[in-house]
């Protein structure tokens, strides 16, 4: 019974809603001046003891209507609060007074705050008889909700220029501490009583399990939160929460179905004047405004480095663009950079809308440019580069964008207070590559269409460019353009099947992580389909033959050809050879040289990523592959790898050093023009080719000038000067047995290869003419390895070309056990035709 009387009292006496034509209002949002009577703490407001602390009379945050500021009074045994308000009744016709008030618990005492009020023509005397507001228990020492109170203004004072209202907040009877009293939204003026019933303006989704009901006017805070007053197709809400006076949030135990029509019945809800809603049935289509798909909200513009003195305020901001098809509610979304993050406050955003997100202390300066949402704990953007992301309430990424100093394209823009704008917000990928500095005269376009906007269509589907392995379990497939990071797992398939651990896309690369190691040097078929680029163009079915290469080891990769004196305007190159039947990964191998002190210098990694050389093949490493192919067209189909720079390899001579990934020297060649064929007239544009990878790289006879018949260089393909890979003779093998030193047909030299049964043999290799005269000594009493090579260029000991005809190679071998072998072979010097 007591509760019923309380409701009737509130609805019929205190809770009165009006429509007014003119009022004076004080919402207590302005800072209080710490001044006491007779000085005002707000214009027209006086207090007997105003303080900056939470005692006596003071301003309080978050305790007003809807969490605003309010006025607070704390009576104690030695203090009763006195508020005096200056009013101007002559400005109104039939003035009235109303305000919102409540009490709050203070300590464990039983004392209520007792309110009385009176009027006077003067500030400090002559007050009429005091009138008590409600009973002595109207404001007990309990936590109350705000209630609306109305005071009758004496009719005899209507025509006065100035009247003062005094309110006493006294320390009530009882024991212990007294309640704390709050006031908010004080109003004085003319209004008419509300006789109109509230109406439902709209029903829409608030979250996946919540609805938002908007009413035409503020509602009774008690009845509007009674769950029985709402019925959703036989379901009662689990909660009903009044927000912003005229908005009710209904929560349900189960989630709604996106895109489904529902029916809601609402009844028995009054406004603050006691006018009850006519029982209403409303049909609505449910859409979850917090279900924001990837790229439906786009980070469209960034101002990481504003500058004082420009047309735009000196305030950082992030602009969002709504490219979706339904209203979004941003409350709870997370805006983050690489260091900090913040949660956005509630804001409803419509399709096609631009929204400026800015720090709380600078948001007002941007309001003239468009809709602004202020943010507490703003994640300060790095000037030199950062990553900004927007994440939904479910933790799913909505958008992400990175920028760097290079994104501005020059110091004039990066340090000039220019924003970075997205060229096309409809692209469904990371927009890092599509950022440009604003070209607007204000150096930014917050709240409006970007100045660099370009919606030119892209109708070209992405292409697969390459693949490589980052490690034994991770495969990377590279595309010709950025790829949309959303895809289905059935877009890819291995044959034979491989167990997948995870798959993801970053910019223009597809990363595939396997559970087990990918088979080494085994062909695996990978089928890819339905991947799309940023514009939605879909990749047609592609079948790749994937081979994971073996990491090259010492003894598998060799220096094979060097061009240190190129044609004018052309690049140098170093060729490497794979002597195995396996695909080799050589990206982490290095080229270097030696300085004047003989120390390793100018070490250059072959690749920042992967570099694979096929079995029994050659790769030319250069700084300009295209030009090299033009210089040597026969080699245009060879294998080339372009680097930004090679170590310095001077024309006059130097050292080419090959290092493994651990930095250990594998091979090095000290080169000079002396290694060229003695009959070569002009070495410019002529490479040095290795005769055999089975012979030491440092042996001078193992290097010869490339053949003129093969354009004097063979980058990326088999050398013009080489010997067979397999030894075919018993002890000595000559290849070729006929040659022309001037290169009119085939090799310009011959190779003499030997192979003995054990180390320790000593050998002498001489060339004689048919008259028995020594023409050339290739080796004299040299300790031999088990196998090796000598070469003869068809010249005598003075470096002169010998006459065409027959010559005898005499080889004498003996060991320490006294064994002796003598071998004779015929060599023919051919004549140019």
């Amino acid at each position: 019974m007591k509760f019923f009387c309380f409701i009737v009292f509130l609805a019929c006496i205190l809770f009165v809603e009006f429509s007014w034509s003119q009022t004076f209002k004080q919402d207590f949002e302005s800072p209080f001046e710490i001044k006491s009577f007779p000085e005002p703490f707000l214009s027209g407001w006086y207090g007997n003891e105003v303080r900056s602390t939470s005692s006596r009379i003071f301003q309080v945050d978050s305790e007003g209507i809807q969490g605003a500021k309010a006025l607070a009074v704390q009576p104690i045994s030695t203090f009763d609060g006195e508020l005096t308000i200056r009013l101007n009744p002559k400005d109104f016709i039939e003035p009235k007074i109303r305000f919102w008030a409540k009490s709050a618990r203070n300590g464990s005492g039983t004392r209520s705050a007792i309110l009385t009020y009176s009027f006077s023509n003067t500030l400090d005397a002559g007050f009429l008889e005091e009138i008590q507001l409600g009973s002595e228990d109207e404001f007990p020492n309990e936590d109350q909700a705000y209630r609306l109170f109305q005071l009758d203004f004496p009719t005899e004072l209507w025509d006065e220029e100035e009247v003062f209202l005094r309110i006493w907040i006294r320390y009530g009877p009882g024991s212990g501490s007294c309640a704390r009293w709050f006031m908010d939204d004080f109003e004085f003026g003319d209004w008419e009583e509300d006789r109109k019933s509230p109406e439902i303006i709209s029903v829409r989704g608030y979250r996946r399990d919540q609805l938002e009901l908007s009413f035409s006017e503020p509602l009774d805070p008690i009845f509007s939160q009674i769950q029985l007053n709402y019925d959703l197709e036989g379901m009662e809400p689990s909660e009903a929460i009044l927000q912003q006076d005229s908005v009710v949030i209904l929560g349900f135990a189960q989630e709604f179905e996106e895109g489904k029509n529902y029916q809601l019945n609402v009844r028995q809800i009054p406004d603050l004047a006691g006018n009850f809603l006519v029982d209403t049935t409303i049909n609505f289509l449910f859409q979850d405004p917090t279900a924001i798909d990837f790229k439906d909200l786009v980070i469209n513009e960034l101002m990481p480095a504003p500058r004082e003195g420009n047309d735009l305020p000196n305030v950082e901001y992030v602009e969002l663009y709504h490219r979706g098809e339904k209203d979004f509610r941003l409350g709870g979304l997370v805006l983050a950079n690489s260091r900090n993050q913040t949660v956005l406050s509630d804001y409803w955003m419509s399709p096609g809308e631009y929204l400026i997100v800015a720090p709380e202390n600078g948001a007002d300066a941007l309001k003239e440019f468009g809709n602004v949402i202020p943010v507490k704990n703003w994640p300060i953007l790095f000037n030199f580069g950062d990553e900004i992301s927007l994440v939904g309430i479910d933790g799913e990424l909505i958008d992400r964008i990175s920028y760097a100093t290079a994104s501005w394209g020059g110091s004039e823009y990066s340090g000039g207070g220019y924003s970075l704008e997205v060229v096309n917000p409809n692209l469904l990928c990371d927009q890092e590559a599509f950022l440009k500095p604003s070209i607007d005269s204000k150096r930014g376009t917050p709240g409006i269409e970007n100045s660099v906007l370009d919606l030119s269509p892209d109708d070209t589907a992405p292409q697969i460019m390459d693949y490589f392995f980052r490690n034994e379990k991770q495969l990377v497939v590279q595309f010709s353009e950025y790829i949309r990071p959303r895809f289905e797992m059935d877009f890819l398939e291995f044959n034979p099947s491989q167990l997948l651990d995870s798959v993801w896309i970053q910019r223009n690369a597809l990363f595939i992580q396997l559970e087990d190691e990918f088979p080494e040097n085994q062909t695996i078929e990978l089928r890819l389909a339905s991947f799309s680029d940023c514009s939605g163009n879909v990749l047609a079915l592609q079948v790749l033959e994937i081979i994971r290469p073996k990491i090259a080891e010492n003894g598998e990769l060799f220096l094979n050809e060097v061009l240190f004196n190129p044609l004018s305007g052309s690049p140098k190159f170093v060729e490497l050879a794979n002597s195995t039947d396996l695909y080799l990964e050589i990206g982490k191998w290095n080229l270097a040289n030696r300085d004047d002190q003989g120390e390793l210098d100018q070490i250059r990694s072959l690749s920042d990523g992967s570099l694979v050389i096929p079995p029994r093949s050659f790769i030319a490493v250069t700084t300009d592959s295209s030009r090299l192919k033009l210089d040597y067209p026969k080699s245009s189909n060879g294998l080339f790898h372009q680097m930004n720079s090679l170590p310095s390899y001077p024309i006059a001579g130097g050292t080419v050093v090959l290092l493994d990934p651990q930095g250990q020297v594998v091979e090095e060649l000290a080169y000079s023009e002396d290694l060229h064929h003695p009959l070569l007239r002009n070495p410019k544009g002529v490479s040095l080719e290795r005769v055999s990878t089975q012979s030491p790289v440092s042996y001078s006879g193992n290097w010869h000038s490339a053949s003129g018949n093969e354009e004097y260089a063979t980058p990326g393909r088999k050398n013009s000067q080489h010997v067979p890979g397999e030894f075919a003779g018993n002890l000595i093998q000559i290849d070729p047995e006929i040659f022309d030193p001037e290169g009119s047909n085939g090799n310009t030299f011959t190779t003499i290869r030997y192979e003995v049964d054990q180390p320790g043999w000593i050998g002498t290799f001489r060339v004689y003419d048919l008259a028995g005269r020594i023409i050339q000594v290739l080796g004299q009493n040299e300790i031999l390895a088990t196998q090796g090579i000598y070469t003869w260029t068809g010249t005598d000991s003075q470096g002169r070309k010998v006459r065409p005809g027959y010559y005898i190679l005499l080889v004498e071998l003996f060991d320490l056990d006294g064994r002796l072998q003598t071998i004779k072979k015929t060599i023919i010097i051919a004549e140019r035709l």
Side-chain angles (χ1 to χ4, degrees):
M1 183 66 180
K2 182 177 181 181
F3 176 77
F4 175 77
C5 293
F6 174 71
I7 295 297
V8 172
F9 178 70
L10 296 182
C12 300
I13 300 177
L14 301 177
F15 288 84
V16 183
E17 174 63 17
F18 301 89
S19 59
W20 57 89
S21 59
Q22 185 177 9
T23 61
F24 156 75
K25 183 176 181 179
Q26 176 57 257
D27 59 9
F28 305 111
E29 294 299 310
S30 299
F32 289 9
E33 293 191 47
I34 310 305
K35 295 179 180 179
S36 297
F37 188 89
E39 296 294 325
F41 63 89
L42 288 173
S43 177
W45 285 73
Y46 307 84
N48 60 331
E49 192 168 347
V50 179
R51 294 192 178 185
S52 60
T53 58
S54 57
S55 62
R56 310 301 190 267
I57 299 172
F58 57 95
Q59 186 181 37
V60 62
D61 293 333
S62 306
E63 286 288 349
I65 303 296
Q66 297 299 317
K69 296 180 180 179
L71 179 147
V73 180
Q74 179 61 68
I76 58 175
S77 60
T78 58
F79 170 78
D80 291 329
E82 292 183 12
L83 293 173
T84 306
I85 304 104
R86 184 178 68 239
L87 307 173
N88 302 105
K90 196 172 183 179
D91 295 339
F92 306 97
I93 299 172
E94 297 180 359
K96 307 178 190 68
I97 297 170
R98 66 179 180 181
F99 56 85
W100 294 82
K102 69 174 183 177
S103 61
R105 173 167 293 281
N106 173 47
S108 58
T110 63
R111 300 178 187 274
S112 299
I114 300 176
L115 259 73
T116 61
Y117 63 93
S118 183
F119 297 92
S120 174
N121 288 323
T122 61
L123 177 61
D124 55 358
F127 283 93
L128 303 175
E129 181 180 354
E130 293 183 33
I131 303 172
Q132 183 169 311
L133 184 63
S135 67
E136 289 190 353
D137 294 328
E138 192 66 44
F139 298 103
N141 192 18
E142 297 175 358
D143 291 323
Q144 294 182 324
Y146 268 106
R147 293 167 291 154
L148 184 63
F149 293 86
Q150 179 175 316
L151 307 181
D152 290 331
F153 190 77
T155 57
E156 64 268 24
L157 299 178
W158 283 5
D159 295 328
E160 296 291 331
E161 289 283 349
E162 190 173 74
V163 173
F164 293 91
L165 165 66
R166 178 163 292 175
I167 301 175
W168 288 268
I169 306 95
R170 291 190 170 91
Y171 186 73
S175 62
S177 55
C178 179
R180 180 169 290 175
W181 184 81
F182 296 97
M183 173 191 281
D184 198 10
D185 288 354
F186 177 95
E187 290 185 82
F188 174 70
D190 292 319
W191 53 77
E192 295 179 358
E193 291 190 19
D194 177 17
R195 304 291 185 186
K196 185 178 181 181
S197 297
E199 297 177 351
I200 297 177
I201 298 174
S202 67
V203 177
R204 61 182 176 181
Y206 191 75
R207 283 190 60 161
R208 65 188 62 176
D209 58 353
Q210 292 180 329
L211 298 178
E212 180 196 77
L213 279 65
S214 295
F215 292 81
S216 58
E217 57 180 304
L219 302 177
D220 178 287
I222 304 297
F223 283 93
S224 62
Q225 299 187 84
I226 296 175
Q227 293 140 245
L228 287 171
N229 291 335
Y230 306 92
D231 177 81
L232 180 74
E233 300 180 353
M235 288 189 299
E236 180 184 310
S238 57
E239 61 179 0
I241 303 171
L242 179 64
Q243 289 187 342
Q244 302 171 4
D245 299 335
S246 59
V247 176
V248 175
I249 305 299
L250 300 180
F252 292 84
Q254 64 185 51
E255 296 181 358
F256 292 92
E257 184 178 334
E258 184 76 15
K260 181 179 177 180
N261 286 299
Y262 290 88
Q263 187 177 85
L264 177 69
N265 297 308
V266 184
R267 58 185 177 271
Q268 296 297 312
I269 301 204
D271 61 16
L272 293 177
N275 304 303
F276 278 82
L277 172 83
V278 176
D279 288 358
T280 302
T281 298
I282 187 167
N283 295 298
F284 65 94
L285 177 72
F286 179 80
Q287 291 181 313
D288 181 2
T290 66
I292 306 175
D293 290 337
F294 178 71
K295 285 291 183 178
D296 274 355
L297 271 181
V298 175
I299 300 173
N300 196 49
E301 185 177 353
L302 305 167
M303 177 62 86
R307 186 174 179 180
E308 189 70 43
N310 288 350
D311 292 338
L312 292 177
N314 185 21
V315 178
E316 291 185 358
Y317 66 81
V318 171
E319 180 195 76
L320 303 180
Y321 171 66
H322 188 327
R323 59 175 300 275
E325 298 179 350
K326 65 181 181 181
D327 288 350
F328 292 145
R329 187 172 67 84
L330 307 191
L333 299 190
V334 174
L335 180 71
N337 68 352
S338 57
R339 183 173 55 181
N340 293 314
Q341 65 179 39
T342 188
V343 178
L344 300 186
S345 57
D346 226 6
Y347 182 90
W348 287 85
M349 194 172 179
S350 302
E353 181 182 349
Y354 297 91
L355 176 65
I356 305 166
V357 185
E360 189 176 45
N361 60 2
D364 287 346
L366 289 164
K367 286 183 177 178
E368 65 176 288
F369 300 99
N371 297 327
V372 181
I373 179 171
V375 170
K376 294 181 179 180
N377 304 316
W378 176 256
I380 298 174
L381 310 181
F382 290 110
N383 294 355
F384 54 82
D386 209 339
E387 181 178 86
I388 313 299
S389 59
L390 186 67
V391 179
I393 61 174
D394 55 0
E396 291 293 322
L397 179 69
I398 297 174
D399 195 18
R400 177 167 48 213
I401 192 167
S402 301
Y403 66 92
T405 302
S407 301
W408 279 274
S411 58
E412 173 189 355
Y413 295 99
S414 62
Y418 288 83
S419 74
L420 290 172
E421 298 179 350
V422 167
V423 173
N424 185 349
N426 296 321
L427 298 180
L428 303 176
C429 302
D430 189 329
Q431 293 273 15
E432 176 185 356
F434 309 108
L435 278 176
K436 289 185 179 180
S438 176
I439 58 175
D440 189 89
S441 59
K442 298 188 299 295
R443 306 190 180 191
T445 55
I448 60 174
E449 183 179 277
N450 287 347
S451 62
V452 299
L453 186 70
D454 181 2
L455 302 180
S456 301
D458 170 20
D459 300 324
T460 304
Q463 301 297 317
I464 296 174
M465 303 301 291
D466 196 7
Y467 75 86
F468 62 90
F469 285 85
R470 296 184 69 184
N471 53 51
E472 295 85 354
K473 296 183 179 181
Q474 191 175 105
L475 170 65
V476 181
V477 180
Q478 292 183 312
F479 294 86
S480 57
E481 55 183 315
Y482 277 35
I483 298 297
R484 187 180 182 186
R486 298 297 176 95
F487 60 93
E488 301 295 331
M489 289 300 291
D490 59 5
F491 286 7
L492 60 92
E493 180 184 5
F494 284 105
N495 183 27
S497 179
Q498 306 293 315
L499 294 177
L500 300 180
D501 177 81
S502 56
V503 180
W504 70 96
I505 285 175
Q506 185 174 335
R507 298 170 184 163
N508 68 327
L510 169 67
F511 292 79
I512 304 174
Q513 183 77 28
L514 302 183
E515 288 190 4
D516 302 315
E517 290 188 7
F518 202 101
E520 187 178 276
N521 269 283
Q522 176 182 335
T523 301
I524 302 292
E525 187 179 86
L526 172 62
R527 299 169 64 88
L528 297 175
S530 301
F531 288 91
S532 62
D533 64 14
C534 304
S535 298
N537 300 305
V538 179
L539 173 75
L541 175 63
Q542 303 286 318
V543 180
L544 300 180
E545 290 188 346
I546 304 294
I547 299 176
R548 182 171 75 86
K550 175 183 180 294
I551 304 298
E553 299 179 0
N554 292 1
E556 296 176 334
L557 189 66
F558 299 90
L559 293 171
N560 195 58
E561 187 174 358
V562 177
L563 177 64
F564 58 90
N565 186 3
L567 298 171
S568 298
S570 295
K572 301 176 182 181
F573 74 83
V574 174
E575 183 187 77
L576 305 175
N578 175 5
S579 66
T580 74
D581 294 318
L582 303 173
Y583 286 86
L584 297 180
E585 171 60 61
I586 62 172
K588 301 306 178 186
W589 284 59
N590 307 275
L591 290 174
N593 61 16
R594 290 194 182 272
D595 60 20
D596 294 340
Q597 286 72 44
E599 299 294 328
L600 287 174
D601 194 21
Q602 298 184 10
I603 299 174
R604 304 278 192 272
S605 179
L606 293 181
S607 175
D608 292 333
S610 174
L611 180 59
V612 178
I613 182 170
R616 302 291 175 182
S617 63
F618 313 90
I619 185 168
V621 182
T622 183
T623 57
D624 189 345
S625 299
S626 298
R627 178 57 189 267
L628 202 58
K629 291 178 182 179
L630 290 175
D631 291 342
Y632 304 101
K634 283 188 175 182
S635 299
S636 59
N637 293 325
L639 187 59
F640 291 79
H641 173 64
Q642 186 165 304
M643 296 175 59
N644 292 330
S645 66
L646 289 172
S648 175
Y649 297 130
I651 295 174
T655 305
V656 180
V657 185
L658 178 65
L659 307 171
D660 66 15
Q662 290 72 45
Q664 300 299 311
V665 175
V666 175
E667 288 197 323
E668 62 179 285
L669 168 66
Y671 68 88
S672 69
E673 288 194 357
D674 293 341
L675 296 181
H676 276 300
H677 197 286
L679 300 180
L680 183 65
R681 295 178 179 83
N682 182 7
K684 198 170 190 65
V686 181
S687 71
L688 283 175
E689 295 181 334
R690 188 169 182 170
V691 176
S692 173
T693 57
Q694 297 180 5
S695 296
V697 66
S698 57
Y699 172 49
S700 61
N702 201 16
W703 292 88
H704 280 273
S705 306
S707 169
N709 291 337
E710 297 296 328
E711 303 175 327
Y712 291 108
T714 56
R717 63 189 178 102
K718 185 174 69 173
N719 289 349
S720 62
Q721 313 278 21
H722 68 282
V723 296
E726 297 296 330
F727 189 82
N730 294 325
L731 290 176
I732 303 296
Q733 175 181 313
I734 297 177
D735 186 43
E737 295 179 347
I738 304 174
F739 74 98
D740 175 10
E742 293 186 340
S744 61
N745 184 21
N747 283 11
T748 60
F749 63 95
T750 188
T751 59
I752 299 98
R753 301 177 64 189
Y754 68 85
E755 185 173 308
V756 292
D757 56 358
Q758 62 184 31
W761 286 87
I762 296 174
T764 298
F765 294 74
R766 299 189 185 96
V767 179
Y768 293 83
D769 62 14
L770 294 181
R773 294 177 296 224
I774 295 178
I775 300 299
Q776 184 66 274
V777 178
L778 304 178
Q780 180 74 35
N781 293 330
E782 293 185 356
I783 299 175
L784 305 180
T786 56
Q787 59 181 354
I789 187 172
Y790 289 92
T791 58
W792 182 42
T793 59
T795 58
D796 62 18
S797 58
Q798 303 299 315
R800 296 169 298 196
K801 178 189 172 186
V802 301
R803 298 175 180 229
Y806 287 84
Y807 293 85
I808 304 298
L809 171 67
L810 179 63
V811 179
E812 297 176 332
L813 305 175
F814 66 93
D815 64 10
L816 298 180
D817 295 331
R819 289 184 295 173
L820 176 66
Q821 291 194 55
T822 301
I823 302 166
K824 292 182 180 180
K825 293 280 187 179
T826 300
I827 302 174
I828 301 174
I829 300 295
E831 185 174 8
R832 180 184 294 271
L833 297 178

